Structures are given as structure tokens and as C-alpha cells.
Amino acid sequence: MAGSHPSALAEKRRALLDLRLRRRREEVLAQQEAAPPEGRPRPSGRTVSPLVPLGPAGTEPPLFLVHAAGGSVAPYVALAGLLGDDRQVCALEDPGLHGGAIGERSLADLAATYLAAVREARPDGPLHVGGWSVGGAVALEMARQDGDVALTFVLDTAVPDAPSRPGDDELSAWFASDVAAMGAEPGEAELAERFPVFAANVRALLTFRPSRVDSRVVLLCAEKSEGEKLSRWRPYADEIQVVPGDHYTMLRPPHIEALAEAMRHRLSEVSVR
């Protein structure tokens, strides 16, 4: 639209997504909670592996990256291609996107589920884990539970100042803003599928409290993020580096190369120890 300011376009997109989401929210939540027909199992009864390899196996230990609030591993595809041919990236996607259970959850429960899948794939040796946004908090909890994690990447993850539980209307607005900031234009069916996953993960993050873990923890924080994000992580991170971009653009060109370089550097340091 000629002459329109980018921020105005973003606001219009967020408003449109919010309206579409509000029309479907009640229907979607009712479907998630409805009991299955008698004699038929719930879809969540299926075993859905959360592991999604994003490249061929390499000679170096793999890096396991946990999904953000939306549950998809798509944001890691480009990053995986920049971390080196000798290191496989295995992402962890939320099974709720594929018929798995959603409901009430905690990050500790997610971490336990994902850690079991990771240790099935790599039963021996120290792990390298990480995640963007909510995924960074889950990765930190995985490191705490496992006790044999060499390196944990926390990619621009927020630490809430106090536990909270936002309602569906507030989460709908956050979801619409998140989708718009990602530059996505999903249809109503995809919005309906993804909102319960987003809502469950955000609510879990808002009750999360980090702790010191027996792992080297590296926070890579976007330069346009709030200053409080850095200050709240200082007691828990061994190293903090600011990388170009904001919460979303740090994973896109041209900023993604700087993020990948910072991660490659830390991974190489761990490899030579």
C-alpha cells in the first residue's frame, strides 16, 4: 500500500488476525476439551515424537533446539543451515500441533518429555541444548533435570517479574501480534490449531522461575529487547551477548548470521574442552 507506514500495516494485520482468532476461539477450545465418541481413543493417545532432524548427522554432537511458544520448529530451519555441516540440529516440535495432548502444562513437564526423546536418540555423553523464547526456558529446565549438559543456549527468553495467568482475550491479542510479527498469514484452520498450543506454552512460561544449573548457560539477547531481560538473567547465565535485531528479526537475514556466528563460537569452545 503506497505511502503506508510499516507500523500501520503491522497494526492492521494484527487487528485482522485478532478478529479472526476471536471468532474461532470458543469453538476451538470446546473442541480441545470435548470427550471423544465412546469407544474411540483421544488423538493424544498416539505417540508423537517431538524430534525433528533439520539436517544430516555430523561428526560433532548434535544441538537440540526447543520450539518457541507457537510450537513449530520452522524458525530454526535457516539457523540450522548456518551452524556448520559437521553438526546436526535436531529441533523439538510441540506434539500438540499433531494431535498430542495440550491442556494445562508446566515447563518442567515439557522438559521431561523432551529430555526423554533426546536421551533416546543420544543416550550417552553430555548434551548441547537451547531454544528461542519459551524454548530457552524449557532447555534450561532440561539441563537442570539431566545434569549432563555441556552447553545451554537461551535465545532472547523472557523471565516474568511475577507469576500470572492471562485470560483468553489477552492471549488472543498476544497470539495475533506474534503471528503478525513472524510475517505469517495462516488460514483460520491453522490459527485454530495453533492457538491452544501457544496459550498453553505462554501460561507455562509465566509461572516459570529459572535456577542455576550444572551447564554453561549462554544468553543471546536481541539488541532491541527490553533491558529487564538482561538484568533478570544475570544470576542464571554464565555469559550474556547482545546480538543484532529484535525478538523476531534476530532469526532472519541479515541478523541471523550474527546469531549463528555467536552460537558456532560457543559450540567450538565446548568441543575443544
Side-chain angles (χ1 to χ4, degrees), residues 196-264:
V197 171
F198 175 89
N201 287 329
V202 169
R203 284 180 173 138
L205 177 66
L206 292 176
T207 64
F208 173 74
R209 285 294 174 272
S211 59
R212 288 294 304 184
V213 300
D214 187 16
S215 169
R216 183 184 180 190
V217 177
V218 177
L219 170 67
L220 298 174
C221 189
E223 64 180 345
K224 295 183 180 179
S225 293
E226 303 84 357
E228 294 83 357
K229 190 172 288 185
L230 288 173
S231 61
R232 289 175 184 163
W233 270 105
R234 292 192 190 282
Y236 314 108
D238 299 290
E239 185 179 357
I240 296 175
Q241 179 178 337
V242 175
V243 295
D246 61 24
H247 183 68
Y248 298 95
T249 61
M250 66 186 287
L251 284 165
R252 301 180 199 157
H255 304 314
I256 190 173
E257 178 54 51
L259 174 64
E261 171 58 29
M263 295 176 72
R264 289 195 302 265

Side-chain angles (χ1 to χ4, degrees), residues 107-192:
L107 295 192
D109 291 339
L110 281 181
T113 297
Y114 296 162
L115 187 56
V118 166
R119 278 305 185 187
E120 183 177 356
R122 186 172 176 79
D124 302 315
L127 300 175
H128 300 149
V129 301
W132 172 52
S133 189
V134 173
V138 178
L140 187 72
E141 178 62 16
M142 290 170 66
R144 187 191 70 79
Q145 293 183 17
D146 186 79
D148 190 15
V149 174
L151 180 61
T152 301
F153 286 115
V154 178
L155 307 183
D156 209 55
T157 299
V159 176
D161 55 356
S164 62
R165 183 178 173 79
D168 288 340
D169 286 341
E170 188 173 4
L171 285 169
S172 294
W174 292 0
F175 181 56
S177 179
D178 189 74
V179 172
M182 292 287 289
E185 297 183 356
E188 289 191 9
E190 187 174 357
L191 284 171

